[in-house]
Amino acid sequence: MKGRYFYVLTMVFMIPASGYARIPDYLITKESKEFSYSILKDTVGIGGAVHEEDTRLNKRMKDRLEPIRANFKKINSIGKWTSVKKIPIEGESAEGGEAVFYYQNNRLEKITTKHYGETGQVLTEYYLLQGNLSFVFEKDYTYNRPLFYNAEMMRENKDTEAFDFDKSKITETRSYFEKGNLIFVISSHDPGTSFSNGYLTEEEKRITNHFKKLLALMPN
């Protein structure tokens, strides 16, 4: 699912040396507008991670997920952060990106990232529990056409669609971690699917690698 997005990374050398390309207004989603130092409302929302009553969950797994979900609610109930720091992310996508670090009483509680590409954009939120990764929410927008594909190009190619953000395909993925290990995944792309241990292992590596890179960029 995420592999297709990394196609845009091959376009990174198109970024002007002076900085990131300006993101057109029509690409700024509701979530994007909330990436600011004064952000108070979370993009997932308090009910976002717990709306599903997954029939795959036995009692033991439900019990294991409960502290993760409770921590998610606790973090998203914070009305005013002690500190919120935003930094650009270099070299991750063709159209730029940024990360926001949320602190409460000098403790990092949450990180949100936004990556823009020519074929899509991805919002990711990382939640911490006792200093460890606990829950990750990913919202992946795949555009119906590349963002530069306008009406003129549509006509030239005898196509039926030009770029239209509202026609993007959206995939949401929720990943639950326990003591650093990925234990459960819910994806709107594959609803009702029980993912194999091999899949969970690969996803754990992918997510934790990105998380460690973000921690290395964490502002002082």
Side-chain angles (χ1 to χ4, degrees):
M1 178 178 62
K2 300 296 181 300
R4 64 174 183 274
Y5 176 72
F6 288 99
Y7 161 78
V8 303
L9 299 186
T10 62
M11 305 296 293
V12 67
F13 296 106
M14 297 178 63
I15 302 174
S18 60
Y20 294 111
R22 180 183 180 274
I23 306 303
D25 291 340
Y26 54 81
L27 291 185
I28 305 300
T29 64
K30 175 179 179 290
E31 291 90 343
S32 307
K33 293 177 181 178
E34 294 173 348
F35 272 67
S36 67
Y37 288 96
S38 60
I39 181 171
L40 295 178
K41 183 178 180 182
D42 296 282
T43 51
V44 178
I46 291 177
V50 295
H51 70 84
E52 68 287 318
E53 284 297 329
D54 202 293
T55 57
R56 294 171 290 162
L57 295 178
N58 56 34
K59 184 180 185 304
R60 182 170 179 273
M61 180 58 74
K62 287 182 178 180
D63 289 343
R64 294 172 71 184
L65 297 186
E66 182 55 34
I68 301 172
R69 290 172 165 173
N71 180 67
F72 171 87
K73 288 184 178 181
K74 178 182 177 181
I75 292 176
N76 274 350
S77 69
I78 297 174
K80 185 177 181 180
W81 295 95
T82 303
S83 177
V84 179
K85 300 179 181 180
K86 179 169 62 175
I87 64 169
I89 301 177
E90 298 180 359
E92 289 289 332
S93 64
E95 300 298 325
E98 59 186 4
V100 184
F101 298 78
Y102 298 82
Y103 302 84
Q104 192 68 6
N105 299 322
N106 297 318
R107 183 174 64 184
L108 180 66
E109 298 281 359
K110 173 181 173 180
I111 304 173
T112 58
T113 65
K114 191 77 173 184
H115 294 97
Y116 298 95
E118 293 193 349
T119 60
Q121 57 178 277
V122 179
L123 162 72
T124 308
E125 300 188 351
Y126 303 82
Y127 293 81
L128 285 75
L129 175 62
Q130 298 178 347
N132 297 313
L133 188 60
S134 173
F135 174 73
V136 178
F137 172 76
E138 298 171 275
K139 191 167 187 177
D140 186 334
Y141 295 82
T142 301
Y143 302 150
N144 67 317
R145 298 290 186 273
L147 62 87
F148 55 80
Y149 197 86
N150 56 24
E152 181 179 354
M153 295 184 69
M154 176 188 71
R155 289 190 293 270
E156 289 177 353
N157 289 281
K158 297 181 180 179
D159 201 349
T160 58
E161 291 185 4
F163 169 79
D164 185 346
F165 180 80
D166 291 335
K167 293 183 179 180
S168 298
K169 179 182 178 181
I170 300 174
T171 301
E172 295 184 353
T173 305
R174 293 163 171 81
S175 301
Y176 298 82
F177 286 78
E178 180 184 67
K179 297 180 180 179
N181 298 313
L182 180 60
I183 60 172
F184 195 71
V185 173
I186 298 173
S187 173
S188 63
H189 179 69
D190 298 298
T193 299
S194 294
F195 295 101
S196 67
N197 290 335
Y199 174 86
L200 293 179
T201 298
E202 290 303 311
E203 280 295 280
E204 179 182 311
K205 290 179 181 178
R206 179 184 68 83
I207 294 172
T208 55
N209 283 340
H210 282 294
F211 181 63
K212 288 177 181 178
K213 289 180 181 179
L214 288 170
L215 292 180
L217 297 173
M218 188 166 58
N220 296 324

